[in-house]
Amino acid sequence: MSAPTRQSFPLTDVTAVSVAGSAITADACAPAPGVAPLSPVAAADAAGLLKAIADPLRLRMLSYLSQAGQAEACVCDLAELADVSQPTVSHHLKVLREAGILTSERRGTWVWYSLEPAHQPAVEALLGAISTPQSTPLITGENDDH
Amino acid sequence: MSAPTRQSFPLTDVTAVSVAGSAITADACAPAPGVAPLSPVAAADAAGLLKAIADPLRLRMLSYLSQAGQAEACVCDLAELADVSQPTVSHHLKVLREAGILTSERRGTWVWYSLEPAHQPAVEALLGAISTPQSTPLITGENDDH
DNA sequence: TGTCTATATTGACGGTCATCGATTCATATC
DNA sequence: GATATGAATCGATGACCGTCAATATAGACA
């Protein structure tokens, strides 16, 4: 938990790179001073957002709201995406709201949820990366059958 | 009972639709039989994968392995991405391995991890969707103050 | 006012997760 | 075989998550 006082993330170019061709000869682990491209802070941020998204119902909610012509949805609509109680639906919406992914607006009796405009492109890109069925079968059902 | 501003996507068309200019007058939430674009099964699959990725250290590991010229990394390298114990590093690698995102190969004393080829494009797309700094500030540090 | 409906909040419970110390396994080298 | 090192597993612990029943809040309408 200590602060990474060392010159960690900043994309400073790696000093020693590539080296010889026979790198795999199992000689050394090569401490590789070059550090990860994602800074600890950025990683924590991204992990927080992904955690908010990484739930079946929340994913379906986002997917629903990402549909063309589905700019908004009231809670009662989103509640039909899964067979859970009303407080549970409210809880999931709160998670997405507090993560900055959704915004809500009350109009009369109902509360309408929509994608936060700032995050909309990223959310859609993420959903696309997850479910692209043609080239990258991330979720095409081979998660557990081999 | 007309629907406010909705119009479900393809699939089953909504019987009673919109009309009414003053849609917002709080009339009905329109049960909208239209189903979510992401099936429950697909959502569960995707959620499982996202859960595996949604951790700061695991994100950095993947980011590290996604770097050009970083096809492989031994555990001792990946361990330097965070200040945690060796069993913890091993645990995180196991999570990614069992999610099908990483593969491991022992060569001599060390164990080398690399992205599962089948998932590599999706993982890279996902990392890209998360950290694209130009248009979609998903992780640019405005996580919660909207 | 009061009642009804839609949504949010609270509090609790069981399950899962991240982490560690201790141990075990695997491989290399002496 | 004995020893050292890299990595995985085991067992425990505290924190977090998803869920629900009960309750509270907000607005619409009589």
Side-chain angles (χ1 to χ4, degrees), chain A residues 29 37 67 74 76-77 80 142, chain B residues 6 9 29 31 63 74 76 119:
Chain A
C29 225
Q67 297 246 276
C74 71
C76 58
D77 276 345
E80 294 194 352
E142 57 101 358
Chain B
R6 175 173 324 100
F9 69 111
C29 223
S63 180
C74 71
C76 57
H119 283 349

Side-chain angles (χ1 to χ4, degrees), chain B residues 51-145:
Chain B
K51 267 191 228 283
I53 296 176
D55 177 271
L57 176 51
R58 296 202 287 269
L59 264 177
R60 298 192 78 208
M61 287 172 165
L62 292 178
S63 180
Y64 184 85
L65 286 168
S66 292
Q67 295 244 276
Q70 282 290 358
E72 292 185 318
C74 71
V75 177
C76 57
D77 275 345
L78 296 169
E80 293 194 352
L81 295 176
D83 191 18
V84 294
S85 70
Q86 176 266 321
T88 299
V89 172
S90 200
H91 159 72
H92 286 295
L93 288 171
K94 183 180 185 179
V95 170
L96 291 172
R97 216 174 48 226
E98 292 186 339
I101 299 169
L102 292 186
T103 35
S104 63
E105 179 191 358
R106 170 158 228 139
R107 282 203 298 272
T109 305
W110 295 283
V111 175
W112 298 82
Y113 279 81
S114 56
L115 290 173
E116 174 72 38
H119 283 349
Q120 181 163 1
V123 167
E124 288 173 357
L126 205 145
L127 289 173
I130 279 175
S131 60
T132 51
Q134 69 286 19
S135 62
T136 58
L138 236 188
I139 63 166
T140 51
E142 55 104 355
N143 196 359
D144 51 359
D145 58 23

Side-chain angles (χ1 to χ4, degrees), chain A residues 25-92:
Chain A
T25 57
D27 212 342
C29 225
V35 190
L38 211 56
S39 75
V41 173
D45 269 2
L49 275 162
L50 286 176
K51 267 192 229 282
I53 296 176
D55 177 90
L57 176 51
R58 296 201 288 267
L59 265 177
R60 298 192 78 211
M61 287 171 164
L62 292 178
S63 179
Y64 184 86
L65 286 169
S66 292
Q67 297 246 276
Q70 282 290 357
E72 292 184 318
C74 71
V75 177
C76 58
D77 276 345
L78 296 169
E80 294 194 352
L81 295 176
D83 191 18
V84 294
S85 69
Q86 177 267 321
T88 299
V89 172
S90 199
H91 160 71
H92 285 296

